[in-house]
Amino acid sequence: MAAVSSMSKMYGLCFRAVRQTAGLKAYRLLQRRGFRVTVLQLQQTFDSSLEKPQFPGASAEFVDQLEFIQPNVISGIPVYRVMDRQGNIINPSQDPQLSKETVLNFYQKMTMLNTMDRILYESQRQGRISFYMTNYGEEGTHIGSAAALDPNDLVFGQYREAGVLMYRGFPLDHFMAQCYANADDLGKGRQMPVHYGSKDLNFVTISSPLATQIPQAAGAAYAVKRENTNRAVICYFGEGAASEGDAHAGFNFSATLECPLIFFCRNNGYAISTPTNEQYRGDGIAARGPGYGMLSIRVDGNDVFAVYNATKEARRRAVAENQPFLIEAMTYRIGHHSTSDDSSAYRSVDEVNYWDKQDHPISRLRHYMTARGWWSEDDERSWRKQSRKTVMEAFERAERRLKPNPELLFTDVYQEMIPSLNKQRESLWRHVQQYKEHYPLDLYEK
Amino acid sequence: MAAAARLFLRGTNSKLSIAPGSLGTTLLKLSPNCSSRTKTQRRHAAHFTFQPDPVPSQYGPTQKMNLFQSITSALDNTLASDPTAGKSKPETLKDRVFNTPLCEQGIVGFGIGVAVAGATAIAEIQFADYIFPAFDQIVNEAAKYRYRSGNMFDCGNLTIRAPWGCVGHGSLYHSQSPEAFFAHCPGLKVVIPRSPIQAKGLLLSCIADKNPCIFFEPKILYRAAVEQVPEDPYTIPLSQAEILQEGSDVTLVAWGTQIHVLKEVASMAQEKLGVSCEVIDLQTILPWDIETVCKSVVKTGRLLISHEAPVTGGFASEISSTVQEECFLNLEAPISRVCGYDTPFPHIFEPFYIPDKWKCFEAIKKMINY
């Protein structure tokens, strides 16, 4: 009996499982067949169609037909929009009916961004700043989403979300200071242009590695949830960055750990020169959300009201229900990836022109405004002139400003200065004293 | 073996059998007359003897704890004192101590986000061997957060913990000592305790420290190291190496488990060679206490550094390089590094791989006779 009981201990799990799933009342172990369990089935009637899967890993029914689920890429997740390409409201119930003041602000922020982009892109071409990235064509995604958030909501961006900062009130001088890396840069001159950040405006400083912000946003949302202060977190990224492992990590963590977070994907058709058909085979990014247990939507990113409505509702529910939402904003990157890119190498000028002329967030909103008599040709002319002047003045100020003191090379590595770094700092100064004519000290603050 | 991971420690229930020789002892009990058991079938005893420190008197009442218990104690203290929580009832701990999906880059990324949002985050990686998927988040993000944002943002609230070092049978993926990879990353702090008392104090310092810290815990000491550990919280300062015993002829530097090897080597050297060794526990790998080590080498003239990690590019090379810069004329012999070989960490060959006391002893002999 000892042998049987020890055998049954070893195979106990197996016996229990067999009994459970087969609903049998009796079994017999043949001791001869030491390592094979033979189960004798008594002739009892049972209906196997009543059986339900018990697997801890999934909640589903059984099926007895072999069929692979077909991903639907021909007729994918539909694109939610409020305005047609001419700026006419399609379904009046979807018009957020924002005030004239609000809508004009949307328009002015989008156009101011556009103006700043043109001037700073040019300044890189002229060798005044080292690098720049424009936001052409994606202004709607920035302003629409930023307007739907609370100013206290924390923003994690990728690098093409300057309009969110602009909407929140980041001064032109600060944009310029960061691009010029001058002594007014809040980032103390340490990063390449367009790596903005603002503690006051709850916009976490941009970093170059792609998608790293995605799991970070999930963690921040988790912490914010515990604070219980009605704050949400939004995380922007492109469809290219969505291929990174960090994106998968962030989606899974945020859904599993129930974080009040909005994932906002700017699907603009290109990751530098990689078009979307070389980025993924599935139905874009929105289709991935359900795989993580996440509510998802696809919107027309060039329709500022669609972006606004989706973000507003996602924010409301994310905070109320402590779950993440995925918004895939379809748009088009009209400009080059950056000043280091010439996109004519991989796409036609015709394609770019179509989006610039036929489906641009700025012109669609302008049509909406002019249809209501809120914006005239004169308004347009004077605003263009005024915004350009404002940008140019900030630009000139930034140009004249000195660079930060080189002491700032060594600070903020740790919260405190450490002895070894201090020694290196002193060694640099001694060296520069001796070889000062070879160092551009005049450009820097003392 | 899969790498499950947790954001906050939930209370260890490690099923990993890490007491060396325990299997051999059990088998001997069942069949005491079995003489056919050859030497090769018995697993080796540990390569070190844990040497407990004296009971500390300055931190209040103490309790017998092993290494993992001292770490749990540190975490319990932290949960109890956290101002945002307030509560310490078990049922409300679910949102403070929890499992995460199995994804190290996610765990660290998530931990960074928690820290950036202003809360304390203690992320656990199941084995240091599995920290590499998180390397980008640690090196490119956590370490650089403060610097790149001009001090507007930081993840000083982040501490990452991971079991570290050889364990007798861990092989390639349960034995690694990756401190050298992170030592090369400004902005991080890397800390390795040698004992329960040290572990609790150093871990609490890491948690309190306003910089992202990586805390490597010598897993072979989890149960093998037992000391009287203060129940109340206390901190041991970072970046301060500790001189465990003073000596005049050779300076021995190590961290973690290897300290106990070197302590034994120091006795052997005294007994067999009449050589007086100064033993230093570095404790913090980054930023490391250059002053204490150099001061010691100026006194003794000889330096031996020992670690399990492979010798090439191991942290001993950094110490050696700096010491020869600072103390060149004081050196009586080349600086000696007794480390793991430049191979992945082997399974059955572990007794040959590790920098054991005989290798260290031999190195001292060579230095003395140089």
Side-chain angles (χ1 to χ4, degrees), chain A residues 41 44 50 98 109 132 167 239 300 339 359:
Chain A
Q41 190 176 340
Q44 300 222 307
L50 294 175
L98 300 169
K109 289 290 186 303
Y132 193 70
Y167 186 86
E239 87 285 350
D300 180 346
T339 48
D359 193 344

Side-chain angles (χ1 to χ4, degrees), chain B residues 164 192-195 218 221 254-261 281 283:
Chain B
W164 166 102
I192 304 174
R194 68 171 182 276
S195 72
L221 298 180
W255 45 90
T257 316
Q258 200 65 8
I259 282 293
H260 304 290
V261 175
D281 180 3
Q283 293 179 350

Side-chain angles (χ1 to χ4, degrees), chain B residues 38-366:
Chain B
T38 60
K39 209 168 180 192
T40 50
Q41 287 177 0
R42 246 189 316 124
R43 280 161 61 195
H44 280 247
H47 65 288
F48 67 97
T49 309
F50 173 71
Q51 311 207 13
D53 285 331
V55 182
S57 52
Q58 69 270 46
Y59 301 122
T62 64
Q63 201 188 310
K64 188 164 121 178
M65 293 186 211
N66 62 27
L67 187 75
F68 79 71
Q69 287 166 336
S70 74
I71 286 161
T72 307
S73 173
L75 296 172
D76 285 341
N77 289 154
T78 304
L79 286 168
S81 67
D82 187 314
T84 57
K87 301 166 199 145
S88 57
K89 285 185 289 185
E91 59 267 27
T92 62
L93 278 181
K94 217 165 46 83
D95 64 327
R96 303 180 64 198
V97 181
F98 50 91
N99 288 327
T100 66
L102 206 165
C103 177
E104 287 79 8
Q105 67 194 103
I107 288 161
V108 173
F110 187 92
I112 291 171
V114 170
V116 167
T120 302
I122 304 166
E124 178 188 297
I125 302 292
Q126 188 137 91
F127 286 92
D129 314 55
Y130 309 138
I131 203 167
F132 300 108
F135 201 74
D136 185 40
Q137 285 284 352
I138 295 169
V139 166
N140 267 335
E141 296 288 313
K144 298 172 168 65
Y145 233 90
R146 190 190 292 277
Y147 188 81
R148 75 187 187 200
S149 68
N151 200 26
M152 284 194 283
F153 300 95
D154 69 85
C155 40
N157 291 329
L158 175 66
T159 304
I160 299 167
R161 304 176 33 241
W164 166 102
C166 78
V167 74
H169 57 278
S171 182
L172 284 81
Y173 302 113
H174 300 82
S175 312
Q176 289 181 45
S177 309
E179 66 273 10
F181 292 102
F182 298 100
H184 192 56
C185 182
L188 289 180
K189 295 201 175 179
V190 179
V191 177
I192 304 174
R194 68 171 182 276
S195 72
I197 296 171
Q198 291 292 308
K200 177 167 168 169
L202 288 170
L203 178 57
L204 286 172
S205 288
C206 286
I207 293 168
D209 195 281
K210 295 289 173 231
N211 302 288
C213 298
I214 303 180
F215 187 76
F216 288 125
E217 303 166 358
K219 64 175 88 63
I220 203 174
L221 298 180
Y222 271 156
R223 290 188 175 80
V226 182
E227 284 177 327
Q228 287 289 125
V229 181
E231 293 166 349
D232 291 333
Y234 60 96
T235 54
I236 291 173
L238 302 183
S239 298
Q240 285 186 26
E242 189 180 341
I243 300 176
L244 299 183
Q245 73 182 61
E246 290 190 10
S248 53
D249 300 327
V250 194
T251 301
L252 309 179
V253 174
W255 45 90
T257 316
Q258 200 65 8
I259 282 293
H260 304 290
V261 175
L262 288 190
K263 275 169 116 174
E264 205 173 332
V265 173
S267 314
M268 284 161 70
Q270 181 65 68
E271 210 181 288
K272 300 187 179 131
L273 307 170
V275 166
S276 154
C277 297
E278 180 145 297
V279 179
I280 300 180
D281 180 3
L282 201 62
Q283 293 179 350
T284 301
I285 308 303
L286 183 74
W288 69 282
D289 186 353
I290 300 174
E291 198 186 329
T292 300
V293 175
C294 287
K295 215 166 129 197
S296 174
V297 177
V298 164
K299 183 171 74 167
T300 63
R302 295 175 191 85
L303 175 62
L304 182 150
I305 315 151
S306 187
H307 57 62
E308 292 165 20
V311 62
T312 298
F315 198 64
S317 50
E318 162 61 30
I319 297 172
S320 177
S321 197
T322 301
V323 168
Q324 66 87 27
E325 274 173 13
E326 301 291 321
C327 315
F328 186 71
L329 293 174
N330 301 100
L331 289 170
E332 297 290 337
I335 297 170
S336 181
R337 296 180 293 162
V338 184
C339 304
Y341 301 114
D342 292 330
T343 70
F345 201 107
H347 178 227
I348 211 65
F349 309 116
E350 179 165 333
F352 299 96
Y353 175 90
I354 51 175
D356 59 29
K357 58 193 178 202
W358 304 111
K359 294 180 187 171
C360 295
F361 177 71
E362 185 58 28
I364 290 177
K365 252 169 78 176
K366 286 206 165 69

Side-chain angles (χ1 to χ4, degrees), chain A residues 157-178:
Chain A
Q158 183 172 302
Y159 53 54
R160 219 183 291 278
E161 292 91 15
V164 174
L165 254 185
M166 188 163 273
Y167 186 86
R168 284 192 164 182
F170 199 57
L172 283 171
D173 282 330
H174 282 146
F175 279 111
M176 301 282 173
Q178 199 284 329

Side-chain angles (χ1 to χ4, degrees), chain A residues 154 156 186-188 190-191 197-199 203-207 209 211-213 215-216 218-220 222-224 226-227 245-246 249 252-253 256-257 259 408-416 418 420 423, chain B residues 84-85 94-96 98-103 105-107 109-114 116-117 119 136-137 140-141 143 145-153 185-189 209-211 286-287 290 326:
Chain A
L154 196 54
F156 284 83
L186 298 176
K188 301 181 187 172
R190 286 152 183 171
Q191 290 214 80
S198 168
K199 181 128 190 95
F203 189 97
V204 180
T205 304
I206 299 300
S207 72
T212 48
Q213 73 276 15
Q216 292 173 21
Y222 190 87
V224 144
R226 292 200 67 248
E227 275 173 11
D246 271 345
N252 197 18
F253 273 59
T256 309
L257 297 169
C259 305
L408 295 177
L409 192 171
F410 291 102
T411 58
D412 302 326
V413 178
Y414 297 94
Q415 189 207 34
E416 71 279 9
I418 60 172
S420 57
K423 266 187 82 178
Chain B
T84 57
K94 217 165 46 83
D95 64 327
R96 303 180 64 198
F98 50 91
N99 288 327
T100 66
L102 206 165
C103 177
Q105 67 194 103
I107 288 161
F110 187 92
I112 291 171
V114 170
V116 167
D136 185 40
Q137 285 284 352
N140 267 335
E141 296 288 313
Y145 233 90
R146 190 190 292 277
Y147 188 81
R148 75 187 187 200
S149 68
N151 200 26
M152 284 194 283
F153 300 95
C185 182
L188 289 180
K189 295 201 175 179
D209 195 281
K210 295 289 173 231
N211 302 288
L286 183 74
I290 300 174
E326 301 291 321

Side-chain angles (χ1 to χ4, degrees), chain A residues 92-297:
Chain A
S93 73
Q94 297 302 300
D95 184 343
Q97 297 190 324
L98 300 169
S99 69
K100 176 181 171 184
E101 194 190 339
T102 303
V103 173
L104 289 195
N105 185 36
F106 282 14
Y107 184 76
Q108 287 169 347
K109 289 290 186 303
M110 289 201 282
T111 48
M112 178 71 87
L113 176 63
N114 189 278
T115 304
M116 184 180 82
D117 274 353
R118 285 172 204 276
I119 286 165
L120 284 175
Y121 186 90
E122 236 353 86
S123 82
Q124 192 279 341
R125 283 293 177 252
Q126 295 171 13
R128 297 166 190 269
I129 62 175
S130 58
F131 175 81
Y132 193 70
M133 299 176 97
T134 59
N135 303 274
Y136 302 147
E138 300 186 50
E139 298 90 348
T141 62
H142 303 179
I143 270 63
S145 55
L149 299 169
D150 213 75
N152 286 330
D153 292 339
L154 196 54
V155 175
F156 284 83
Q158 183 172 302
Y159 53 54
R160 219 183 291 278
E161 292 91 15
V164 174
L165 254 185
M166 188 163 273
Y167 186 86
R168 284 192 164 182
F170 199 57
L172 283 171
D173 282 330
H174 282 146
F175 279 111
M176 301 282 173
Q178 199 284 329
C179 289
Y180 274 90
N182 66 31
D184 295 333
D185 177 20
L186 298 176
K188 301 181 187 172
R190 286 152 183 171
Q191 290 214 80
M192 285 168 73
V194 312
H195 289 64
Y196 310 114
S198 168
K199 181 128 190 95
D200 292 342
L201 299 178
N202 298 301
F203 189 97
V204 180
T205 304
I206 299 300
S207 72
S208 306
L210 290 186
T212 48
Q213 73 276 15
I214 303 179
Q216 292 173 21
Y222 190 87
V224 144
K225 171 174 82 169
R226 292 200 67 248
E227 275 173 11
N228 226 346
T229 49
N230 184 32
R231 279 175 90 197
V233 176
I234 190 166
C235 181
Y236 294 91
F237 53 94
E239 87 285 350
S243 295
E244 283 278 358
D246 271 345
H248 160 71
F251 295 161
N252 197 18
F253 273 59
S254 65
T256 309
L257 297 169
E258 298 171 357
C259 305
L261 174 58
I262 303 160
F263 289 114
F264 194 102
C265 176
R266 295 176 292 98
N267 188 331
N268 63 14
Y270 290 90
I272 310 187
S273 55
T274 304
T276 51
N277 65 13
E278 288 171 11
Q279 191 67 246
Y280 51 74
R281 254 331 112 78
D283 177 22
I285 313 314
R288 300 178 196 171
Y292 294 99
M294 207 169 15
L295 284 150
S296 316
I297 192 171

